[in-house]
Amino acid sequence: MSKLLSISLSFVVLLQSFGVSLCDVSQIDEFIEHAQFHSEQYGDNVLVFISKHYGELKATHDKEHQEEKEDHEQLPFQHQSHFSSATAFVLIAYKEHFKSFEISEYKSHNFFYQAPSSSLHSEGILQPPRHS
């Protein structure tokens, strides 16, 4: 069970590193439906379809087919996002011997124990299960 959980979490991290969200995964059916529409209507294969919606033909396709604008907004991977990260690692070669510290003998207790006084405990109702 732990291996399955580890693999699934690794897969989620991999998808997120590519910029794929769960919203995009849920819109895959819209992608397939629109690709089939293009295949039937315009005779486009998958590569031409991807080029028209995500590649170099996108601008001309958007201008020529304004009636499909609502369908295009439902396609996955349409979000514009920018991911950047800056990592700084500073190694300081500073060595100082730790000074010994004194432990004081003063002890302050912030808790106390009070014996249970409920009637259920004194009657013996709450008992652990016994083997028969």
Side-chain angles (χ1 to χ4, degrees):
M1 183 66 180
S2 65
K3 288 184 180 182
L4 179 64
L5 182 65
S6 299
I7 291 170
S8 62
L9 286 176
S10 299
F11 184 70
V12 168
V13 169
L14 177 69
L15 285 178
Q16 288 178 346
S17 68
F18 289 135
V20 177
S21 67
L22 288 177
C23 183
D24 292 332
V25 173
S26 67
Q27 292 175 333
I28 292 295
D29 59 337
E30 301 287 338
F31 179 85
I32 294 170
E33 287 178 17
H34 198 64
Q36 288 174 346
F37 171 76
H38 269 264
S39 176
E40 295 168 359
Q41 192 74 13
Y42 307 114
D44 295 342
N45 62 12
V46 176
L47 294 176
V48 173
F49 171 77
I50 291 174
S51 179
K52 283 185 176 180
H53 291 88
Y54 302 103
E56 59 190 32
L57 300 176
K58 181 177 180 169
T60 58
H61 181 68
D62 287 342
K63 286 180 187 176
E64 293 174 0
H65 300 285
Q66 290 292 324
E67 68 276 1
E68 296 178 13
K69 184 176 182 179
E70 187 173 310
D71 292 336
H72 292 163
E73 291 173 354
Q74 299 299 321
L75 291 174
F77 316 115
Q78 293 292 331
H79 51 79
Q80 299 290 328
S81 60
H82 177 72
F83 295 104
S84 65
S85 65
T87 305
F89 181 75
V90 179
L91 180 62
I92 300 174
Y94 181 72
K95 295 181 182 180
E96 181 180 332
H97 297 287
F98 292 107
K99 296 179 182 179
S100 62
F101 56 93
E102 296 179 19
I103 300 173
S104 69
E105 294 295 322
Y106 175 73
K107 295 180 181 178
S108 172
H109 300 289
N110 294 328
F111 61 92
F112 64 95
Y113 176 76
Q114 184 176 4
S117 62
S118 70
S119 62
L120 293 176
H121 181 73
S122 62
E123 292 176 8
I125 293 176
L126 301 175
Q127 296 292 323
R130 295 186 178 112
H131 296 287
S132 55

